[in-house]
Amino acid sequence: MAVCIAVIAKENYPLYIRSTPTENKLKFHYMVHTSLDVVDEKISAMGKALVDQRELYLGLLYPTEDYKMFRKLHNSYTDVMCNPFYNPGDRIQSRAFDNMVTSMMIQVC
Amino acid sequence: MVDTVLFEFLHTEMVAELWAHDPGPGGQKMSLSVLEGMGFRVGQALGERLPREMLAFREELDVLKFLCKDLWVAVFQKQMDSLRTNHQGTYVLQDNSFPLLLPMASGLQYLEEAPKFLAFTCGLLRGALCTLGIESVVTASVAALPVCKFQVVIPKS
């Protein structure tokens, strides 16, 4: 159900970014940057409010049931983190992660 | 539980191996850094994997509580015994029967050797904090085995 998936590091650079080949890559890269601003806004407005990962995601773009997708993405990211050959901060080159992203993007059409 | 023993043995070997290579004072510092670095990397991964169901970290104190409860239980099968803070970014976590020191002695024997066995765990705490978005400096001290205190200092910015 996704046309573009990106994983951004704490330092605001992309660890992983991929879009479906049919779409304009540049447009999506800009969108990713804009959504980072939205994330920042949400976080600074958080304060004492109860926020959990799912809500953060839903609140950003569209309130859909895509938190399942987010969960899968996060689980795969956690697996990448736990891989001893991965150094945090590197580009993500895991084939398993690629496959998971492919499976999420295929569901569109 | 078999897994705990495996980790304890592995940890003991890690310390022994690093110390055997270069027992001089320069080598000791290096070994402590290496151990802390290893703990840091493991802590980073754990910080990502552990907070599964509990997602709401409203403030720093919640993160520290997570370290004392969930992280400690996952790694050492027990909770931290006490957490104190000065509410200005310094936290003292005390474990009255730290599993990595428990098999060694009970009292003042081996006090000089104890710090080597705490380096990895300091890194562990620092790594988990890092994943959760908090830069910190973690040090440990032992007054009498197996009681040890971990001091977490979070600089205000």
Side-chain angles (χ1 to χ4, degrees), chain B residues 73-147:
Chain B
V73 166
V75 183
F76 301 112
Q77 287 72 44
K78 68 181 285 281
Q79 291 192 6
M80 190 74 73
D81 291 307
S82 91
L83 169 66
R84 290 199 305 276
T85 176
N86 66 357
H87 294 289
Q88 265 143 38
T90 303
Y91 299 85
V92 177
L93 292 70
Q94 182 167 319
D95 192 326
N96 294 330
S97 53
F98 188 53
L100 297 178
L101 293 179
L102 211 47
M104 267 189 256
S106 177
L108 299 171
Q109 195 183 16
Y110 298 125
L111 201 58
E112 317 84 54
E113 318 289 334
K116 325 185 177 133
F117 291 89
L118 299 171
F120 181 90
T121 313
C122 288
L124 191 75
L125 287 165
R126 191 168 66 89
L129 281 164
C130 175
T131 307
L132 296 169
I134 300 177
E135 293 285 323
S136 63
V137 177
V138 183
T139 48
S141 62
V142 189
L145 279 72
V147 183

Side-chain angles (χ1 to χ4, degrees), chain B residues 5-111:
Chain B
V5 160
L6 286 177
F7 172 64
E8 282 172 25
F9 283 160
L10 183 63
H11 181 260
T12 311
E13 257 322 288
M14 271 159 48
V15 179
E17 184 61 27
L18 280 169
W19 243 255
H21 266 267
D22 195 351
Q28 278 182 37
K29 260 200 182 154
M30 176 71 146
S31 306
L32 285 172
S33 300
V34 170
L35 280 168
E36 211 265 353
M38 286 181 179
F40 181 73
R41 180 65 185 93
V42 174
Q44 278 184 311
L46 277 177
E48 202 67 57
R49 201 178 263 295
L50 285 181
R52 264 296 113 102
E53 296 319 306
M54 49 150 336
L55 305 161
F57 287 129
R58 268 163 277 190
E59 37 173 69
E60 230 169 58
L61 194 57
D62 286 330
V63 178
L64 267 296
K65 287 190 195 159
F66 161 77
L67 292 184
C68 293
K69 294 187 192 163
D70 305 275
L71 184 76
W72 227 243
V73 166
V75 183
F76 301 112
Q77 287 72 44
K78 68 181 285 281
Q79 291 192 6
M80 190 74 73
D81 291 307
S82 91
L83 169 66
R84 290 199 305 276
T85 176
N86 66 357
H87 294 289
Q88 265 143 38
T90 303
Y91 299 85
V92 177
L93 292 70
Q94 182 167 319
D95 192 326
N96 294 330
S97 53
F98 188 53
L100 297 178
L101 293 179
L102 211 47
M104 267 189 256
S106 177
L108 299 171
Q109 195 183 16
Y110 298 125
L111 201 58

Side-chain angles (χ1 to χ4, degrees), chain A:
Chain A
M1 275 293 245
V3 289
C4 170
I5 291 182
V7 179
I8 314 289
K10 263 188 311 204
E11 292 83 15
N12 287 339
Y13 62 85
L15 291 174
Y16 185 91
I17 184 161
R18 216 173 103 192
S19 12
T20 54
T22 49
E23 299 289 346
N24 185 358
K25 281 201 191 126
L26 200 59
K27 175 177 110 198
F28 282 118
H29 285 226
Y30 280 146
M31 245 191 243
V32 165
H33 273 279
T34 331
S35 49
L36 276 183
D37 289 333
V38 183
V39 174
D40 270 334
E41 256 179 60
K42 294 275 171 180
I43 289 184
S44 52
M46 205 175 92
K48 300 277 175 183
L50 177 70
V51 169
D52 68 80
Q53 282 175 342
R54 295 198 307 262
E55 266 184 43
L56 197 60
Y57 171 76
L58 293 178
L60 279 183
L61 301 169
Y62 304 104
T64 65
E65 295 125 347
D66 286 333
Y67 62 82
K68 280 183 243 148
M69 193 188 297
F70 180 72
R71 200 155 231 220
K72 251 196 345 182
L73 195 68
H74 187 256
N75 284 346
S76 298
Y77 175 71
T78 306
D79 288 338
V80 168
M81 261 307 232
C82 292
N83 179 357
F85 296 110
Y86 172 75
N87 297 317
D90 291 350
R91 297 246 139 180
I92 295 177
Q93 284 159 333
S94 153
R95 268 178 286 192
F97 193 79
D98 271 337
N99 293 340
M100 186 274 316
V101 170
T102 316
S103 72
M104 285 203 324
M105 291 170 112
I106 282 179
Q107 291 166 43
V108 178
C109 38

